[in-house]
Amino acid sequence: MREYGSSEIRNVAVVGHGASGKTTLVDALAFASGTSKRHGSVNDGSSLTDFAPEELERKYSINVGCAYAEWMDAKINLIDTPGYLDFQGDAIAGLAAADGALVVVSATAGVEVGTELMFREALARRDPVLFVVSLIDKEHASFDRAFESIRERLTNTVIPVEVPVGEGPGFHSILNLFSRKAHVYKKGTKNGEYDETDIPPENQAQFDRYYQELIETIATTDDSLLERYLEGEEIGRDEAIAAMKEGMKRGEIFPLFCVSGELTYGTRALLTKLVELMPSAYEMEELHALHGAEGDETVEIHAKDDAPLSALVFKTLTEPHVGDVSFFRIFSGSVMNGQEVFNATRNTAEKLGHLSVPQGRDRTEVPRLRAGDVGCVAKLRNTHTNDTLSTREHPVRLPDIRLPEPLVTLAVHATSRNDEEKLQQGLHRLHDEDPTFQTHYNPETHETVVAGMGERHLEVSMAKLRRKFGVSGELTRPRIAYRETIKGQGEGQGRHKKQTGGRGQFGDCWIRMAPLPRGEGYVFENRIVGGAIPSKLIPAVDKGIQEAAARGVIAGYPMVDFRAECFDGSYHSVDSNEMSFKMAGILAFKTVAAKCKPVLLEPLQEITVRTPDQYLGDVMGDVSARRGQILGTEASSDGRGTVVHAVIPEAELHLYATELSSMTHGRASFTARFRGYEEMPIDAAQKVAAESSKDEVFAEA
Ligand SMILES: Nc1nc2c(ncn2[C@@H]2O[C@H](COP(=O)(O)OP(=O)(O)O)[C@@H](O)[C@H]2O)c(=O)[nH]1
Ligand SMILES: [Mg+2]
């Protein structure tokens, strides 16, 4: 491969819903360009960009994957992304590495949830977007229906630049509106080759209709073009393309293409349009990065070879015996194979050994990579997804890839008890390669929990854990960190007396307990006057109360938000010591707490659900069924549906992401954050208390 400079590079993220044909299309584009030597297929596990064992087994993409096609003196970096929402972290990372998005829409399914999500993500990044309707050769394919669904659900400035002739098994030609020719494909076409003909008479009317619309739409993006168009002047191909490219940059116009990736029909025209319509890396909008040892200055980043290096690691793939492979996008500067660079995010030096360009699973070593390109290296020591590589002289931190917060939390246990430590290490390595997978230990419930974008995400993560780190983790419903408190006041005695042969034990205290406001925790007050208990033994009473409070009195959960005063007691000059007063404190707590109307507290989450209006009733009804309380609703600021604010007990939110998704066909989304603790209704509390008597972990704790 020759060296490519930033004006010759296009970085395109291929995004869209699962099974819309993205991975197949990436393979076909690389193959039709002649760059990749074999036409691979998702079905037999030979596609360029799906090669992880987890992907081969499931036949869908999980990791962002990189390939490239050399076409018209340009290098198109094709960044294939997963379509299922569970893996959207990698899709967002793919967009962060690219300068434009190729949004793939299935001709059979039209716009789906993943299409919508990634289109909006691309818009939010102000990336130009090119649509392609895929799977045109499939049974029940309909270009017009897919086009309509884009217009209805995504944008009404989408405009076809190509139109298929014959859909489903009859698909054989594509009318190219820019060239005003028909591309006719023969059965047995292997790499996108076609015969170019004039528009066949039977398609002339169809062509004219679309052509008219295309030229009008382009003209409206540019005043001088519009004027000439209205005066009846002809608008040339190059002019039209240039105007379209500018319109795309401003997010005003979205061209639409059609392909069959499997048959390679339409691939060559698409390659040409990616080169002509997508901005080169040189044209990227400047980025603002943090600079300097303190990271407190802002610098502008431009894709120039002679600028200081800045490269964003958008993906690391951990392989236990091979070492990590890190994929990065160079935003400025160039790098040489073997060069030492500086990871400003972690303050460590790294050496770029075996600097390569990725073509799916294959990596070709190169002497140098220039600004704007995508590359990979193996075996960096301490570099993870979202880190910036720069130089020690010019340390830079590029803006983080903004990844979504996890939506599903489960507990994880090592299947074999001896594997606990291995499990912990493996979980942290998984997080390093996939920041949307998170893990922490919950000391209140004594469990390690994992959180991710969905159940499927967590299950796939467990499969990775087994393969890469040789440890099996079992996922279970996480315990809820209930707490206890008191609602009333009371007082009583704790008296500990033991006589065993020689020296005995004697401790005696009187305490008074009262509730504190939520969140105040625990307060101990010494109200002993006249030395009823020697002052050096009073802390032992406090300690005893705290020890007993940690186990509560209802269901073994820690008691919080109460005050305990020690106001009387007695002691024995020989038999009293710290141990005996601690015991007295424990006994006093148990007696008194039971009299003070103890109740269970449960953690609450405040959730914000965004849903299309047609599901609003279902969503609200479901919130109530989960013992939730609606705080309010408002129209979504983007005019797409309603936003519901509600408070729901954490115990009722188990797998909410999955259920909300099935209730709304994936159209609703939600965020949740911890709100605090509140008293549980009596019937729910009784269930928890009954459960806990079976649960020995709390009894032991
Ligand atoms: N008939 C037909 N099937 C296709 C085409 N492209 C992909 N497929 C099939 O659709 C399924 C999903 O394709 P894939 O490329 O993995 O989709 P992705 O999830 O968007 O990456 C696979 O079984 C492919 O073989 C196509 O152009 N025509
Ligand atoms: Mg895929």
Side-chain angles (χ1 to χ4, degrees):
M1 190 195 78
R2 74 169 175 91
E3 264 183 19
Y4 287 88
S6 60
S7 58
E8 303 164 307
I9 294 171
R10 308 289 181 279
N11 292 303
V12 180
V14 182
V15 299
H17 198 75
S20 54
K22 298 179 293 300
T23 301
T24 304
L25 180 60
V26 165
D27 193 287
L29 291 172
F31 178 69
S33 71
T35 308
S36 167
K37 298 303 171 208
R38 200 173 47 131
H39 187 190
S41 155
V42 174
N43 300 321
D44 64 11
S46 64
S47 75
L48 273 181
T49 46
D50 278 3
F51 55 84
E54 293 78 25
E55 297 178 315
L56 296 179
E57 185 185 324
R58 292 169 179 77
K59 291 193 168 40
Y60 57 71
S61 310
I62 290 168
N63 303 310
V64 59
C66 302
Y68 67 99
E70 295 173 278
W71 191 253
M72 290 169 64
D73 291 327
K75 178 180 182 228
I76 310 171
N77 289 319
L78 297 161
I79 302 170
D80 184 26
T81 66
Y84 292 113
L85 300 187
D86 286 65
F87 309 106
Q88 59 180 276
D90 266 47
I92 291 169
L95 278 177
D99 299 309
L102 177 61
V103 176
V104 181
V105 181
S106 147
T108 54
V111 169
E112 296 165 90
V113 183
T115 334
E116 182 160 356
L117 183 82
M118 295 318 294
F119 173 69
R120 307 233 176 262
E121 195 68 39
L123 281 195
R125 300 181 50 85
R126 314 195 332 138
D127 283 340
V129 172
L130 196 149
F131 286 106
V132 62
V133 176
S134 61
L135 314 170
I136 303 271
D137 64 302
K138 221 177 144 177
E139 203 82 53
H140 308 302
S142 165
F143 177 80
D144 282 336
R145 225 172 34 229
F147 172 37
E148 241 347 277
S149 77
I150 297 172
R151 201 156 28 193
E152 264 174 32
R153 283 182 58 181
L154 305 183
T155 167
N156 57 17
T157 55
V158 54
I159 181 77
V161 171
E162 292 181 339
V163 189
V165 180
E167 287 164 325
F171 176 43
H172 60 81
S173 303
I174 297 176
L175 307 182
N176 191 305
L177 305 187
F178 275 131
S179 69
R180 304 185 189 205
K181 296 283 182 194
H183 294 177
V184 182
Y185 296 86
K186 285 196 275 295
K187 279 226 162 8
T189 295
K190 286 223 167 47
N191 56 359
E193 68 275 17
Y194 55 82
D195 291 330
E196 191 171 84
T197 68
D198 288 335
I199 304 295
E202 67 269 28
N203 301 121
Q204 192 64 47
Q206 185 190 14
F207 175 88
D208 289 343
R209 183 162 49 87
Y210 279 107
Y211 183 74
Q212 188 71 14
E213 207 180 328
L214 174 68
I215 295 301
E216 254 168 45
T217 308
I218 291 177
T220 53
T221 65
D222 181 311
D223 284 346
S224 71
L225 275 189
L226 185 61
E227 205 170 302
R228 284 170 43 207
Y229 173 76
L230 293 176
E231 281 163 12
E233 223 181 287
E234 190 74 11
I235 292 174
R237 177 187 189 276
D238 293 350
E239 267 181 307
I241 287 177
M244 178 167 254
K245 180 171 175 177
E246 288 309 310
M248 284 170 67
K249 274 194 196 168
R250 295 192 302 266
E252 290 171 6
I253 185 168
F254 303 93
L256 176 64
F257 294 79
C258 59
V259 290
S260 161
E262 201 144 282
L263 302 181
T264 70
Y265 293 8
T267 48
R268 292 179 176 210
L270 184 56
L271 284 165
T272 301
K273 285 304 175 297
L274 288 175
V275 175
E276 290 182 331
L277 291 175
M278 283 294 180
S280 72
Y282 184 77
E283 297 168 88
M284 75 172 194
E285 272 189 36
E286 80 273 5
L287 275 176
H288 295 274
L290 296 175
H291 169 67
E294 308 293 319
D296 47 5
E297 296 164 48
T298 311
V299 281
E300 272 188 13
I301 302 286
H302 295 277
K304 292 185 181 153
D305 290 334
D306 54 5
L309 174 70
S310 67
L312 178 69
V313 176
F314 61 92
K315 179 72 189 172
T316 51
L317 275 179
T318 303
E319 291 298 337
H321 303 296
V322 187
D324 289 4
V325 181
S326 310
F327 296 83
F328 56 86
R329 153 81 192 264
I330 304 176
F331 282 98
S332 65
S334 64
V335 283
M336 306 297 290
N337 195 355
Q339 185 180 328
E340 186 171 295
V341 297
F342 183 65
N343 179 337
T345 316
R346 287 172 207 270
N347 204 13
T348 48
E350 295 278 14
K351 198 173 143 130
L352 301 184
H354 303 290
L355 181 72
S356 304
V357 292
Q359 179 69 300
R361 82 186 80 194
D362 297 328
R363 305 198 290 267
T364 312
E365 206 164 316
V366 291
R368 176 181 185 223
L369 277 178
R370 297 172 60 184
D373 216 341
V374 167
C376 63
V377 283
K379 297 198 173 142
L380 296 186
R381 285 174 306 169
N382 184 26
T383 292
H384 304 293
T385 303
N386 241 338
D387 290 358
T388 304
L389 301 175
S390 58
T391 58
R392 224 181 251 285
E393 300 74 53
H394 292 276
V396 170
R397 287 190 60 176
L398 290 163
D400 275 353
I401 305 169
R402 286 226 306 277
L403 294 167
E405 288 299 316
L407 297 172
V408 170
T409 301
L410 292 173
V412 60
H413 310 271
T415 321
S416 147
R417 259 178 183 267
N418 302 332
D419 281 350
E420 268 310 324
E421 203 183 314
K422 230 163 134 188
L423 176 79
Q424 298 298 336
Q425 283 172 358
L427 293 175
H428 284 102
R429 300 276 304 269
L430 285 182
H431 170 72
D432 287 341
E433 80 166 50
D434 172 9
T436 61
F437 174 84
Q438 298 182 3
T439 178
H440 71 271
Y441 180 75
N442 183 337
E444 258 184 72
T445 58
H446 312 284
E447 284 182 324
T448 299
V449 295
V450 290
M453 302 312 300
E455 281 172 86
R456 193 197 313 229
H457 183 206
L458 294 179
E459 277 156 22
V460 166
S461 298
M462 291 304 111
K464 285 189 193 172
L465 192 70
R466 267 195 303 282
R467 177 175 68 82
K468 298 187 180 194
F469 309 108
V471 48
S472 299
E474 190 195 347
L475 296 173
T476 59
R477 183 177 182 138
R479 291 198 189 101
I480 302 292
Y482 295 108
R483 292 178 184 170
E484 301 182 8
T485 193
I486 49 173
K487 286 173 81 181
Q489 308 202 1
E491 58 180 57
Q493 185 185 21
R495 191 163 185 274
H496 175 64
K497 188 172 180 204
K498 208 165 171 190
Q499 202 66 53
T500 42
R503 190 169 156 179
Q505 287 181 26
F506 182 83
D508 171 27
C509 66
W510 281 82
I511 68 167
R512 192 177 292 133
M513 283 174 59
L516 287 178
R518 200 62 60 242
E520 299 271 297
Y522 164 73
V523 172
F524 177 79
E525 278 170 42
N526 173 9
R527 299 238 185 265
I528 295 284
V529 281
I533 302 174
S535 58
K536 73 175 192 337
L537 293 179
I538 290 175
V541 175
D542 178 11
K543 212 165 155 196
I545 295 173
Q546 289 194 46
E547 246 185 64
R551 294 193 295 268
V553 289
I554 305 174
Y557 295 97
M559 181 167 287
V560 296
D561 302 340
F562 69 98
R563 190 179 66 217
E565 297 170 9
C566 181
F567 63 92
D568 203 358
S570 63
Y571 72 103
H572 188 280
S573 59
V574 178
D575 290 348
S576 286
N577 58 13
E578 274 183 26
M579 182 48 114
S580 26
F581 271 92
K582 193 173 103 178
M583 288 305 297
I586 291 174
L587 294 171
F589 172 84
K590 287 187 174 169
T591 312
V592 179
K595 292 197 283 196
C596 294
K597 303 204 187 101
V599 290
L600 269 183
L601 296 176
E602 64 177 338
L604 303 179
Q605 297 275 340
E606 187 171 330
I607 63 163
T608 304
V609 187
R610 186 180 298 269
T611 176
D613 289 335
Q614 75 224 69
Y615 305 112
L616 184 59
D618 292 343
V619 168
M620 307 253 280
D622 178 68
V623 166
S624 306
R626 292 172 192 274
R627 299 197 280 119
Q629 185 200 343
I630 307 274
L631 299 178
T633 60
E634 74 217 16
S636 172
S637 56
D638 55 12
R640 291 181 294 124
T642 299
V643 177
V644 180
H645 301 277
V647 173
I648 299 189
E650 190 178 306
E652 304 287 338
L653 273 183
H654 181 59
L655 302 185
Y656 183 61
T658 311
E659 284 158 36
L660 180 68
S661 172
S662 68
M663 193 165 30
T664 61
H665 298 99
R667 303 278 302 276
S669 61
F670 82 104
T671 56
R673 66 187 178 85
F674 177 66
R675 158 119 167 172
Y677 276 83
E678 224 159 84
E679 187 186 335
M680 266 186 110
I682 185 76
D683 47 340
Q686 273 165 355
K687 260 191 234 158
V688 173
E691 277 296 310
S692 78
S693 58
K694 294 185 235 151
D695 197 339
E696 84 286 24
V697 170
F698 289 100
E700 277 170 14

